Amino acid sequence: MKFVNASVVMSSLLFASFAQGQSSLKDRAYSVITTRCLSCHTNTFATNKVINDEKVKNKAERMIARIEAKNGVTPMPPDQSSQSEAFTDLEKSELLSYLKTLVSTPEPELELEPSVSAPSTDAIVPLSKLKVEDGFKIEVFAQARGARSLAVHPSGIVFIGTGGFSNVDPEGRVHAIVPTTTGNVVVTLAKDLKNPNGVALQGNDLYVAESSRITVYKNAVASAKALALNNEAEVPAALVVKRDLRVQDEHHWKYIAISPDNKLYVGIGADCNVCSEDRDVGASIFRMDLNGKNYEQVAKGVRNTVGLTFHPVTGQLWFTDNGRDNLGNNLPGDELNVLKSPVQDYGFPFCFASNVTDKDFGAGTDCNSSEFTKPIRDLGAHVAALGLTHYTGSTFPAKYKNATFIAEHGSWDSDFKVGYRLTIVEETVTAGKASYSYRPFVSGFATQQANWGRPSDVKNYIDGSLLLSDDKSGVVYKISPK
């Protein structure tokens, strides 16, 4: 392992104090972070190589989940890492004890079987802090803990996957929001799943992607309706469609989408920040029949796609891709990509965004070569662009038709908070050449140093509005014209 000099000095001092029983709980915890984490995650926990209290606090919830390693969360450190042998039970205990002092006491868990959503007031989330594009408003549509990926049925029922690291649902649930005459009722369609992040609908059937498999709940729409009326209604058993998705430590949550020609698409992220791995196995997008057969690669060199959608006019796959970490605050940008023909190569691990050649793996690589497909638009560095959709409703002004909306989950590998917003990408064609503008549409989920929300996915709703999920606040918002 490589250690910075400041870390070695700090480590020696802190361990000396620990041995004498004179150090505080915070000192002992910082000692563990210094010796076990800083060599690989300097920017995550430190500013100018000095541990930053605010950064540690912001990562506390995630670290607690990984240390406790419950419900399929990747352990910290991973079991096979060289650090695992040196990371003692005492160190884990000291670090865990301190981190729990940083996490505010959570609100009582929402009753999900069933529950009518609360009114859209600042008592739930501080909506007054949000800045929305002129002419639009945002309100709370429903509450669902850990809300991430969304799937909307024509009946108005919304299915919600949970997973990832921010306010992850400890019970591994899939929620459904069911409209009723008395309001939106939130029910639990499934639970005890391993990071059930991805959700997609085919007719009335719901496909759910966990860390290593994809299942389908037949006639999930009827089940959701029954649950909303009767808490004892039976939920059908999940039928396994694909059970051998790659098990990995990094980027293990899966995102799925179903194409207009009824193919099921799934992204398999790189099992690393950046590395030379088998790009026919990971760092790729695959598709299969709805029964899991005919599994094939359709795109490669994709570090970690965390949002898949199909253009309403062209039918082409559009997807986001998160850039690598540890290149500073400004590099590289996340990507908005389009798949026009199989199997296009998007550059990982050699190239990132439109103009970044990787310092570790890009030597001798011409990233301007026709071998690689560039993004149609570079997004912000470290914004963590996740779910996306094209607007297909009829209530927004005409200029928004088919515009691309992207939920930006927000940064961790940056000295300042970036992302934490809903953005819009609009196409302009001049002399037959397309260009793409990019700007915030809803912002205010974070200041430069702290955040209260994390946008995760965005979908069209049946009334012409947009729905936006927020896994940190456990809320689904509704965005509509004033």
Side-chain angles (χ1 to χ4, degrees), residues 50-208:
V50 176
I51 295 183
N52 182 304
D53 291 345
E54 189 66 27
K55 287 188 174 185
V56 174
K57 183 176 180 179
N58 288 342
K59 305 304 292 186
E61 186 176 345
R62 173 176 174 177
M63 293 170 73
I64 290 169
R66 295 192 65 186
I67 293 171
E68 294 182 335
K70 295 179 179 178
N71 297 298
V73 176
T74 304
M76 184 181 73
D79 291 337
Q80 73 275 20
S81 75
S82 59
Q83 285 284 57
S84 182
E85 296 178 359
F87 203 109
T88 67
D89 289 341
L90 176 60
E91 289 173 329
K92 288 183 181 180
S93 176
E94 295 282 7
L95 182 56
L96 192 60
S97 296
Y98 176 66
L99 292 173
K100 287 186 175 181
T101 69
L102 303 180
V103 179
S104 58
T105 302
E107 295 296 323
E109 185 174 341
L110 296 173
E111 180 63 39
L112 295 174
E113 302 181 358
S115 167
V116 177
S117 63
S120 53
T121 69
D122 277 13
I124 302 171
V125 287
L127 290 175
S128 59
K129 293 184 178 180
L130 295 178
K131 181 179 180 181
V132 188
E133 180 140 307
D134 287 347
F136 292 86
K137 63 182 180 180
I138 187 168
E139 55 193 322
V140 172
F141 182 73
Q143 295 175 272
R145 184 168 182 177
R148 285 176 66 87
S149 296
L150 304 173
V152 179
H153 188 264
S155 66
I157 295 175
V158 182
F159 295 93
I160 309 173
T162 60
F165 292 112
S166 295
N167 194 26
V168 63
D169 179 8
E171 295 187 26
R173 286 175 284 199
V174 174
H175 310 299
I177 304 172
V178 183
T180 74
T181 56
T182 58
N184 290 330
V185 176
V186 182
V187 300
T188 297
L189 185 72
K191 60 182 179 180
D192 298 325
L193 304 180
K194 292 186 177 180
N195 294 108
N197 176 75
V199 289
L201 280 165
Q202 172 57 31
N204 294 329
D205 301 337
L206 180 70
Y207 287 77
V208 177

Side-chain angles (χ1 to χ4, degrees), residues 270-350:
D271 195 12
C272 58
N273 171 31
V274 58
C275 59
S276 181
E277 70 166 19
D278 186 346
R279 299 194 309 157
D280 290 328
V281 175
S284 296
I285 300 173
F286 297 87
R287 71 181 174 192
M288 69 196 87
D289 296 338
L290 293 178
N291 61 7
K293 296 181 179 179
N294 297 315
Y295 186 76
E296 61 181 346
Q297 184 186 48
V298 295
K300 64 181 179 180
V302 181
R303 178 179 177 269
N304 183 33
T305 182
V306 280
L308 306 163
T309 195
F310 294 91
H311 195 280
V313 177
T314 67
Q316 293 171 333
L317 175 67
W318 288 48
F319 62 95
T320 56
D321 190 12
N322 286 181
R324 64 158 292 178
D325 304 316
N326 303 325
L327 288 184
N329 290 337
N330 301 316
L331 292 175
D334 285 0
E335 301 175 7
L336 175 60
N337 293 299
V338 178
L339 177 68
K340 296 183 178 180
S341 61
V343 173
Q344 290 175 234
D345 188 338
Y346 293 85
F348 176 88
F350 317 110

